[in-house]
Amino acid sequence: MKILFAASEVVPFAKTGGLADVAGALPKALVRRGCEVAVMLPKYRQVDVDRFKLGKIEGNISIPIGSRIVQGGLWMTELEEKVTVYFIQQDHYFDRDGLYVDSNNQDYPDNAERFGFFSRAVLEACKILGFKPDITHAHDWQTALIPVYLKALYKQDPWFDKTRTVFTIHNLGYQGIFNKYEIVKIGLGWEFFHHEKLEFYGDLNLLKGGIIYADILTTVSRKYAEEIQTPEFGHRLDGLLRTRKKDLYGVLNGIDYEEWHPSIDKFIAANYHVDDLSGKAICKSDLQREYKLPVRSEVALIGMITRLVEQKGIDLVADVLDKIMELDIQLVLLGTGDKWAHEFFQVAQARYPQKIGVALKYDNVLAHKIEAGADMFLMPSRYEPCGLNQMYSLAYGTVPIVRATGGLDDTVENFNPTTGQGTGFKFLRPTPEELLNAIYPAILNFYTNKTGWIKLMRNGMLKNFSWDVSAGEYIKLYERALEK
Ligand code: ADP
């Protein structure tokens, strides 16, 4: 099966969130199962041409943008696992500091145009490469126009007459909503500005296009696939999603164990595994030193790695902070995001310098150190399509405390101290009280039930969230799309 896998971020080239992890790992797993995969992403400034040995491919891509023709180029590299990665070059659009936002965290005003260009350029690139995809697998609003273009602009094009489309929603909260006049820049006529097409409360909604036009829709956990069909989680698209219910599937993301496993992790102070946890204590003291906290092996150390936004339940943590600071615990936070949260945690650190460590930055090495060094990992998301960090935590024997939503609910099982079953602590409603009701038993078990705690850690470490399982599910869905 030939798969065109188009995404706006791909590990190890460019990343702002979980999508990049998926787009880096899933193609490898698909190739291992015999698929031929061409991954495509924009050639951003942060893509390291020398390190990844990118080579330029002959030929130009020409895309109409409004009344202009915009030219682009094509680059490529091959990853060790026989995954071929192509980069769409268009320096005016992609040679910028950020992927989607400028240094003031403001969306680039031409994002519709940029990703409209990209979505059409990947289709044109297929022709330059002589690659006739059976499946195009697109992701999130940035590439949601691919299924739209295939059914609208390329309908008569024999190159794609056998191509079927799969569209994955990684986070329904980000829809790519733009002013309606942007429609002229993305190559679609005004007939597409219709409530059964891309019109959305007077604006243009690119994600909506993907939902309507793709043959098969997926999202990144079973629970989230159900949740997004309800008004509480549907971000005003739940009605539309219900109409596509029979084509909507939840496939849990895997994790890349080559990058995230305590037995081989290169970034942590000591390696360890399920049968010998001794290295974890070394990682803990290393983490405490890193955050300039008192080095205490016995204290309960809670880690958080997160975008500091409402989705992640940061406000809930803020609400309960004084309460949990009454306990004998340490809290280390790594994240960036909303200004109020930056200020709040800076103040909190100044108030509790012996107990709270704060790093307001993006730092992959530190993320690994937290997963390895913390005893518990806190993820109180209001909604969570899949979530990766709780799965990393399970792999590292770092007990997750999560809200029972989306992928968090699918991957974490409540701990039962009597039976020794379970992998973490969950709470249902996103309220400060319920959050506390999950933190308290976690802390209590940590201090008073040492054997139970080790069992709990091991239960998590023995879970398998490998991409091979998910890749198998995707291949079945690709086959289903081909039957359409
Ligand atoms: P989302 O994609 O919604 O941000 P996920 O849990 O699916 O959440 O994925 C987040 C990914 O980004 C994880 O790999 C996590 O380790 C990483 N990450 C998030 N914030 C930071 C940060 N400040 N520094 C390093 N890694 C981060």
Side-chain angles (χ1 to χ4, degrees), residues 9 11 15-22 170-171 174 220 253 259-260 304-309 311-312 334-336 359-368 371 377 379 383-390 392 408:
E9 46 186 276
V11 161
K15 165 166 169 172
T16 70
L19 166 61
D21 293 292
V22 176
H170 296 260
N171 188 336
Y174 299 85
V220 288
N253 287 336
E259 230 221 301
W260 295 95
M304 290 186 78
I305 305 164
T306 180
R307 290 183 291 118
L308 296 168
V309 297
Q311 181 208 327
K312 301 291 181 181
L334 169 64
T336 58
L360 299 170
K361 58 177 176 176
Y362 191 94
D363 184 338
N364 184 44
V365 174
L366 190 52
H368 283 253
E371 288 295 2
F377 193 87
M379 211 161 160
Y383 72 93
E384 192 59 73
C386 175
L388 294 169
N389 278 304
Q390 85 282 11
Y392 300 153
L408 298 176

Side-chain angles (χ1 to χ4, degrees), residues 314-430:
I314 298 307
D315 51 314
L316 296 175
V317 180
D319 285 343
V320 301
L321 197 79
D322 286 332
K323 274 261 180 309
I324 60 174
M325 284 300 128
E326 290 168 6
L327 306 169
D328 187 19
I329 61 165
Q330 293 177 339
L331 175 70
V332 297
L333 170 87
L334 169 64
T336 58
D338 291 349
K339 197 162 164 258
W340 77 264
H342 282 225
E343 288 165 5
F344 177 86
F345 284 106
Q346 269 163 336
V347 170
Q349 184 183 28
R351 284 177 60 211
Y352 302 104
Q354 304 290 311
K355 296 185 123 181
I356 300 185
V358 174
L360 299 170
K361 58 177 176 176
Y362 191 94
D363 184 338
N364 184 44
V365 174
L366 190 52
H368 283 253
K369 285 174 182 270
I370 293 174
E371 288 295 2
D375 297 300
M376 295 159 217
F377 193 87
L378 182 58
M379 211 161 160
S381 307
R382 288 181 180 280
Y383 72 93
E384 192 59 73
C386 175
L388 294 169
N389 278 304
Q390 85 282 11
M391 293 195 271
Y392 300 153
S393 300
L394 290 169
Y396 283 74
T398 302
V399 174
I401 304 171
V402 303
R403 175 169 180 225
T405 185
L408 298 176
D409 198 31
D410 284 357
T411 53
V412 179
E413 208 186 307
N414 234 336
F415 180 57
N416 179 338
T418 319
T419 60
Q421 303 266 306
T423 54
F425 297 86
K426 298 205 271 196
F427 64 101
L428 201 56
R429 303 301 311 165

Side-chain angles (χ1 to χ4, degrees), residues 132-135 157-165 481-482:
K132 270 194 179 187
D134 299 301
I135 295 289
D157 190 326
W159 195 267
F160 295 107
D161 62 358
K162 294 208 169 55
T163 305
R164 297 294 174 267
T165 53
L482 290 174

